[in-house]
Amino acid sequence: MQTVVEWVDARERLPRPGIPVAAAPHGFYPPEAPDSEGVGEEFWLVLSLYFTDRYFAEDGSTYENCFVDSDRVVRFPPGGGSAEVVTHWAALPTLPGSPHTLVMGADVQPALRRAHGGGD
């Protein structure tokens, strides 16, 4: 079964705060290539990030309206000032057989059984 992903242009609309999304950052790696003049190789890829209206970094910095990855790297939509710009984002699909994107604790095993065709 193929899930259709509807990408949203980050210049037009941002996700609700706290929502995990598939995001498409664009940038250059390395940002400044040591053996050349200027920047490294251009990339555009898909990552799992979450969007937040306020992020408090470990160094005490506060960022607003940004995307954050599991390594706490902060990326902004166009015009936000990060080296890697999130150009587009999409809502993550729900878990198989569920309307949810997250199940935790005691609800996990029943959800897995339902997804595999069994009952609760």
Side-chain angles (χ1 to χ4, degrees), residues 50-68:
Y50 75 92
F51 180 78
T52 182
D53 56 352
R54 184 165 295 136
Y55 177 70
F56 301 101
E58 289 180 351
D59 67 0
S61 302
T62 301
Y63 300 99
E64 295 184 358
N65 296 323
C66 59
F67 295 86
V68 183

Side-chain angles (χ1 to χ4, degrees), residues 7-57:
W7 288 99
V8 178
D9 188 325
R11 297 171 300 180
E12 296 174 7
R13 184 167 49 98
L14 296 172
R16 290 189 327 256
I19 299 296
V21 296
H26 166 261
F28 295 86
Y29 187 82
E32 293 186 18
D35 296 335
S36 67
E37 297 178 20
V39 296
E41 187 169 355
E42 187 173 23
F43 68 85
W44 192 36
L45 74 152
V46 175
L47 296 174
S48 177
L49 307 174
Y50 75 92
F51 180 78
T52 182
D53 56 352
R54 184 165 295 136
Y55 177 70
F56 301 101

Side-chain angles (χ1 to χ4, degrees), residues 60-114:
S61 302
T62 301
Y63 300 99
E64 295 184 358
N65 296 323
C66 59
F67 295 86
V68 183
D69 72 12
S70 60
D71 292 326
R72 299 184 194 104
V73 174
V74 176
R75 296 171 177 90
F76 293 97
S82 58
E84 296 177 15
V85 176
V86 174
T87 63
H88 295 77
W89 62 272
L92 295 177
T94 59
L95 289 164
S98 168
H100 306 288
T101 57
L102 172 69
V103 177
M104 295 181 68
D107 295 331
V108 172
Q109 288 304 313
L112 283 170
R113 283 193 295 276
R114 282 191 304 275

